[in-house]
Amino acid sequence: MRLHERAVHVTMSLVEESQSRAPKRAEVAEALGVPPEAIARLFPDDKTLLIAAVEQALIILIDTCTRAVVRVDPRNPMAQFIALGEAYLDWADCHRAQFRLMSDQRLLEVMNVAGLRRYVDSVTDLMTRMLTRAKTEGLIHPKEDIPLLVLSSRSFAYGLARMVVDDRMVDGTLGNDPVATAKMLTRDFILRVARSSQRLPA
């Protein structure tokens, strides 16, 4: 593994340990047993190191979402939307440190970093296109506010992911697997939206 990847890995380990502050390059160098200058050559400042760590996770998120969506019938945008939500939950569960880092604006304001925001915007754009297709095909109400529905869905998915990552997705009535429970709730949420958005018969 190259020094760049090792530095990113150690950075996220330190973030996970502290969960309250961003690690410094000198700390990463010490943990790796390399001179501080070696890390400084790769990352101009501490923030650049954090950005690299988050970008790596976001690249995996995009790849995970893409793979999940293409496995679903393209003629069923609501099923694709569910697959997208489930892929996001899998990603958050597998990349807990990165999820926590992205969630803590005190450590890194992701939406203010253009290089990172483009990944988030690409997922939002994908959600918008799916729901627009669903609206066009009559799967949701023709007057449905798509941007608002996207925001609601993002907020719901984030909340579930947060509960999974914080080990608070526990309910004996729904099962003992937190991610499976979160996915079930995601499907229920989306299907309820689809049903409640249907045009009422005259």
Side-chain angles (χ1 to χ4, degrees):
M1 184 184 296
R2 295 183 305 163
L3 182 57
H4 186 284
E5 284 76 17
R6 290 166 58 205
V8 166
H9 178 74
V10 167
T11 297
M12 296 318 305
S13 296
L14 293 173
V15 168
E16 191 72 350
E17 288 176 11
S18 68
Q19 295 189 20
S20 60
R21 67 177 186 84
K24 305 294 184 182
R25 290 177 300 168
E27 295 175 77
V28 173
E30 182 179 1
L32 288 171
V34 301
E37 297 77 17
I39 301 299
R41 283 195 294 270
L42 295 173
F43 306 100
D45 51 46
D46 297 331
K47 183 178 179 180
T48 304
L49 181 56
L50 286 178
I51 290 173
V54 172
E55 182 172 32
Q56 183 184 74
L58 285 173
I59 290 173
I60 295 173
L61 172 62
I62 298 299
D63 181 66
T64 300
C65 290
T66 301
R67 291 175 182 272
V69 169
V70 297
R71 287 197 292 265
V72 180
D73 187 346
R75 296 169 297 182
N76 192 338
M78 296 306 288
Q80 287 186 320
F81 199 69
I82 291 173
L84 181 64
E86 293 182 342
Y88 172 74
L89 292 170
D90 283 331
W91 170 82
D93 183 46
C94 291
H95 299 85
R96 295 187 172 204
Q98 288 90 337
F99 179 87
R100 288 194 181 100
L101 175 57
M102 292 174 61
S103 301
D104 194 338
Q105 296 297 300
R106 297 169 301 173
L107 299 180
L108 183 65
E109 295 183 1
V110 173
M111 298 306 285
N112 289 335
V113 180
L116 299 179
R117 178 164 186 158
R118 64 191 178 95
Y119 294 105
V120 179
D121 287 345
S122 68
V123 175
T124 301
D125 179 64
L126 180 59
M127 295 172 69
T128 301
R129 286 188 280 116
M130 286 178 179
L131 291 178
T132 299
R133 282 177 45 223
K135 182 177 179 179
T136 300
E137 295 171 16
L139 299 176
I140 57 179
H141 197 279
K143 292 185 178 180
E144 186 67 70
D145 187 329
I146 298 300
L148 184 59
L149 185 53
V150 167
L151 180 58
S152 298
S153 300
R154 282 183 54 190
S155 301
F156 185 80
Y158 171 80
L160 290 178
R162 181 88 249 183
M163 292 181 72
V164 168
V165 170
D166 290 347
D167 294 318
R168 291 188 289 119
M169 182 59 71
V170 179
D171 188 324
T173 63
L174 299 177
N176 297 319
D177 185 332
V179 177
T181 299
K183 288 182 178 181
M184 183 194 70
L185 294 173
T186 297
R187 291 190 293 272
D188 180 71
F189 172 79
I190 294 173
L191 293 176
R192 284 176 186 271
V193 167
R195 286 196 299 268
S196 64
S197 296
Q198 290 293 308
R199 186 197 298 270
L200 296 174

